[in-house]
Amino acid sequence: MLTKRQNLMETIKGGKPDRFVKQYEFMNFIMEAPMGAMVGPGQTIVNDWGITFTWPEGQLGGFPVHDDEHKVLKDITEWRKFVKAPSAIYPEERWAAAIEHANAIDRNEEFATCFVAPGIFEMTHHLMSMEDALMALYEEPEDMHDLIDYLVEYELAYAKELIDHLHPDCIFHHDDWGSQRSSFVSPEMFEEFFLPAYKKIYGFYKANGVELIVHHSDSYAANLVPYMIEMGIDIWQGVMTTNNVPELIKKYGGQISFMGDIDSGVIDFPGWTPEIIFEKTKEACERCGKLYFIPGASHGLNFGCFPGVYESNDEAIDKMSKEMF
């Protein structure tokens, strides 16, 4: 029997996996690594960039507050005045638990994985609001290029710290690039503003020992896949059914792999049942096949929003492995 890591590599290289990869099983997340403050359920916080986040009770996640009182950046032409990156350098004692975790991982079995969020596109609209960020791409492209370059420099500084301290062989990186139905920007605009940024970021990781780049965007982004390949993404995690995943596998399999095709919204809700989860998992596995595909919910980490959902999805994938392998 192949290890989790070996089975993953056989899957994404078009080899001979002996079972489906079960969601995130190949990634051992080093969540002890120091990073900026993240909002939790029922909280309102201000992070190190000055962005105010709130997570209302009863909701599935948090989001920045973008009224006039709380926006960090109200005018893109003044970004140098208002956007101040925090230090990417943390005290050595903050790394101790993460280093201990990283050293304990059996890297023949799993990938030592660092989690990075938010992404570059997300940072632009966290600072400004979604509407302002999208309009700025059209109205003030030079300032947006400069702001993106500034955000990239910060992320590269943080990436160096991750590499120097933890020597990860996998990066799991968030940046949502679309809604369920479309990308937030056109492919041409994505190519101009965000492809160069991620070629620098992912190129840096790959040049410094990271073997696997897994990018999370639980959205439609089929029109951006050629750029995902160019920037060095190995696995697009979060790919929703609206992308026509079997067609993407047929067209791009061997250049990139796809993790998802089970929309979280249809399995991860208060009235979920194992039968619903198995039905959606079976559909995904049968239409997408055994290679260049990892079945799993589109949600962007290794847990569900409601108790038992993630584990039930694993069980459904085990059943499909017995049927199809």
Side-chain angles (χ1 to χ4, degrees), residues 76-120:
I76 180 61
T77 66
E78 295 191 305
W79 74 264
R80 291 171 183 84
K81 181 177 178 182
F82 293 102
V83 178
K84 304 297 180 183
S87 174
I89 309 297
Y90 291 89
E92 286 303 308
E93 58 267 23
R94 290 280 304 276
W95 289 97
I99 292 169
E100 183 179 0
H101 185 165
N103 290 340
I105 295 171
D106 180 352
R107 299 189 186 214
N108 293 312
E109 180 70 26
E110 301 168 310
F111 287 87
T113 303
C114 289
F115 170 74
V116 180
I120 298 299

Side-chain angles (χ1 to χ4, degrees), residues 6-176:
Q6 290 167 342
N7 195 56
L8 180 280
M9 295 307 296
E10 290 293 311
T11 299
I12 69 173
K13 297 296 184 183
K16 294 182 178 180
D18 58 21
R19 61 197 185 277
F20 281 115
V21 177
K22 279 194 301 192
Q23 305 192 92
Y24 290 90
E25 67 172 358
F26 61 97
M27 288 186 272
N28 190 320
F29 288 105
I30 308 169
M31 298 302 284
E32 301 89 347
M35 61 187 304
M38 305 285 278
V39 67
Q43 294 180 342
T44 296
I45 66 162
V46 179
N47 74 6
D48 294 340
W49 291 82
I51 302 167
T52 301
F53 284 84
T54 189
W55 185 332
E57 291 285 357
Q59 298 301 311
L60 299 182
F63 207 71
V65 179
H66 284 137
D67 57 22
D68 280 345
E69 180 185 351
H70 293 94
K71 270 186 195 175
V72 173
L73 182 58
K74 298 177 184 179
D75 181 347
I76 180 61
T77 66
E78 295 191 305
W79 74 264
R80 291 171 183 84
K81 181 177 178 182
F82 293 102
V83 178
K84 304 297 180 183
S87 174
I89 309 297
Y90 291 89
E92 286 303 308
E93 58 267 23
R94 290 280 304 276
W95 289 97
I99 292 169
E100 183 179 0
H101 185 165
N103 290 340
I105 295 171
D106 180 352
R107 299 189 186 214
N108 293 312
E109 180 70 26
E110 301 168 310
F111 287 87
T113 303
C114 289
F115 170 74
V116 180
I120 298 299
F121 174 72
E122 289 171 334
M123 276 297 300
T124 65
H125 69 77
H126 286 184
L127 290 164
M128 305 171 63
S129 84
M130 180 68 79
E131 296 86 349
D132 289 358
L134 292 176
M135 288 190 293
L137 293 168
Y138 286 97
E139 295 177 344
E140 301 291 346
E142 290 184 4
D143 280 306
M144 281 298 280
H145 275 296
D146 291 343
L147 174 60
I148 289 168
D149 287 345
Y150 184 74
L151 297 173
V152 168
E153 287 306 309
Y154 171 81
E155 181 153 338
L156 289 173
Y158 182 63
K160 183 178 186 301
E161 294 300 300
L162 289 176
I163 289 163
D164 288 350
H165 287 89
L166 306 177
H167 312 291
D169 40 27
C170 176
I171 296 295
F172 181 60
H173 198 295
H174 275 221
D175 206 9
D176 288 334

Side-chain angles (χ1 to χ4, degrees), residues 221-238:
N223 56 343
L224 306 180
V225 171
Y227 304 123
M228 296 186 198
I229 294 166
E230 186 175 347
M231 68 178 63
I233 292 173
D234 298 290
I235 300 169
W236 169 16
Q237 187 279 325

Side-chain angles (χ1 to χ4, degrees), residues 265-280:
V266 301
I267 67 164
D268 198 355
F269 62 98
W272 73 272
T273 66
E275 290 76 21
I276 291 171
I277 291 175
F278 180 72
E279 175 191 355
K280 297 302 180 183

Side-chain angles (χ1 to χ4, degrees), residues 254-271:
Q255 301 177 79
I256 189 172
S257 293
F258 302 92
M259 180 174 169
D261 203 48
I262 304 170
D263 297 345
S264 287
V266 301
I267 67 164
D268 198 355
F269 62 98

